[in-house]
Amino acid sequence: GTGLGSAEAMGIDLKAGGRKVKGFHRKEPKSKNVYLQLLVKLYRFLSRRTDAKFNKTVLQRLFMSKVNRPPMSVSRIAKYMAGKDDQVAAVVSTITDDVRMLDVPKLRICALRFTNTARARILAAGGECLTFDQLALMSPTGENVVLLRGPKAREAKRHFGAPGVPGSHAKPYVRAKGRKFEKARGRRRSRGFKV
């Protein structure tokens, strides 16, 4: 009669809706950038008032974190836009330059931002660098627009996080992979400790 049995029989407190957490997706961007928030306002309106799936997709991508908006190089866009001269490439991220590409073709690209060299090379080739508000005026339903995105699995992501912390597998930025470079204390048992 200690009442322990009844305590054991008690269950755990579940909130209404159960314990399962379904997939979460953003309803707005985390960023406080006013220009991004104006674009969100614009594409919220377009996705509500048009039937075009394009606008809904762009809106979802505007909400994404930076890791989920990988940059895209001019060379990759040129590859995807070959034979699509009358169309506009839309990328919800940054456009970067590619020094390996000797001559950039004439491209019409709409993006959140362009690096200075990428913008200079696109304009020098007679192309156009558009913003999403300009694109919305030109093509409110995404007609004649090719929506592209960069590769998510990229080498830069290996360096994200803190290298040298126990349990972290972040790749350090090291000048060389030789014996003398980040291979002593903290990296081998014979030299103090190893993480």
Side-chain angles (χ1 to χ4, degrees):
T2 55
L4 283 173
S6 59
E8 283 165 14
M10 278 168 59
I12 56 168
D13 205 6
L14 283 179
K15 287 200 178 86
R19 68 172 87 194
K20 264 208 167 78
V21 178
K22 294 277 192 330
F24 169 78
H25 55 270
R26 289 185 181 186
K27 309 282 191 294
E28 59 189 2
K30 278 264 179 77
S31 166
K32 295 282 174 277
N33 183 331
V34 286
Y35 299 107
L36 182 66
Q37 294 193 330
L38 282 170
L39 279 184
V40 166
K41 211 176 244 189
L42 169 66
Y43 274 90
R44 249 191 232 287
F45 172 79
L46 286 173
S47 64
R48 192 178 74 241
R49 295 300 301 269
T50 61
D51 293 332
K53 199 176 168 210
F54 172 83
N55 292 327
K56 290 179 175 55
T57 310
V58 168
L59 181 64
Q60 285 310 153
R61 291 190 193 175
L62 287 171
F63 297 161
M64 287 181 180
S65 61
K66 202 174 172 199
V67 167
N68 292 326
R69 288 186 286 105
M72 202 168 185
S73 66
V74 174
S75 57
R76 197 176 277 265
I77 293 175
K79 186 175 84 176
Y80 287 130
M81 297 303 286
K84 298 177 184 168
D85 302 333
D86 56 333
Q87 292 178 312
V88 181
V91 187
V92 189
S93 69
T94 306
I95 302 300
T96 56
D97 185 26
D98 193 343
V99 289
R100 299 167 300 182
M101 195 176 197
L102 295 175
D103 38 345
V104 175
K106 186 179 172 183
L107 295 166
R108 294 175 77 200
I109 305 173
C110 169
L112 287 181
R113 51 183 292 269
F114 296 81
T115 62
N116 290 340
T117 43
R119 186 186 293 276
R121 289 188 72 185
I122 292 162
L123 295 175
E128 273 183 281
C129 297
L130 303 165
T131 54
F132 274 96
D133 51 316
Q134 289 172 314
L135 184 74
L137 289 171
M138 273 170 40
S139 176
T141 58
E143 201 177 350
N144 280 336
V145 179
V146 181
L147 189 58
L148 302 169
R149 53 179 163 180
K152 246 188 189 178
R154 54 202 175 100
E155 207 276 337
K157 272 177 80 172
R158 293 183 187 178
H159 298 279
F160 290 2
V165 176
S168 160
H169 295 290
K171 184 179 179 181
Y173 284 106
V174 188
R175 187 172 43 152
K177 270 186 75 78
R179 173 188 57 82
K180 300 188 283 189
F181 304 97
E182 300 194 15
K183 289 273 201 290
R185 185 173 177 274
R187 279 268 151 249
R188 54 183 71 220
R189 291 233 155 37
S190 63
R191 300 283 180 274
F193 68 101
K194 182 180 188 319
V195 294

